[in-house]
């Protein structure tokens, strides 16, 4: 969970990672950016006009972002 992150002694994952954040959610904030990039140096973020449950609020947009990310792999 984000409350216990970042974890100590975790490996760095250098593959492509997509973070999708609801604009109205405070679960991932700007202060997390440096920690995210330390553990996931190739991370990208997309913002969706939704709250924390963005996959339920905006499923078609979230599915499109995930599909595009996977197709780019």
């Amino acid at each position: 969970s984000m409350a216990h992150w970042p974890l100590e002694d975790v490996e760095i994952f250098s593959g492509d990672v997509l973070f999708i954040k609801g604009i109205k959610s405070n679960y991932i904030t700007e202060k997390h950016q440096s920690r995210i990039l330390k553990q996931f140096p190739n991370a990208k973020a997309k913002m969706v006009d939704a709250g924390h449950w963005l996959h339920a609020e905006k499923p078609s947009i979230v599915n499109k972002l995930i599909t595009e990310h996977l197709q780019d792999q």
Side-chain angles (χ1 to χ4, degrees), residues 3-4 6 9 18 20 27-28 39-40 43 50 53-54 57-58 60-61 65:
H4 302 295
D9 301 322
L18 176 64
I20 305 174
Y27 271 60
I28 301 174
Q39 188 170 354
F40 306 102
W53 295 97
L54 61 149
E57 293 177 46
K58 305 284 181 154
S60 59
I61 293 172
L65 292 172

Side-chain angles (χ1 to χ4, degrees), residues 53-69:
W53 295 97
L54 61 149
H55 59 286
E57 293 177 46
K58 305 284 181 154
S60 59
I61 293 172
V62 171
N63 287 338
K64 180 179 184 258
L65 292 172
I66 293 170
T67 299
E68 288 173 352
H69 176 74

Side-chain angles (χ1 to χ4, degrees), residues 28-46:
I28 301 174
T29 65
E30 195 172 313
K31 73 178 184 178
H32 295 114
Q33 184 177 3
S34 64
R35 291 187 245 172
I36 289 170
L37 290 174
K38 182 177 180 182
Q39 188 170 354
F40 306 102
N42 291 313
K44 294 181 179 151
K46 298 288 183 175

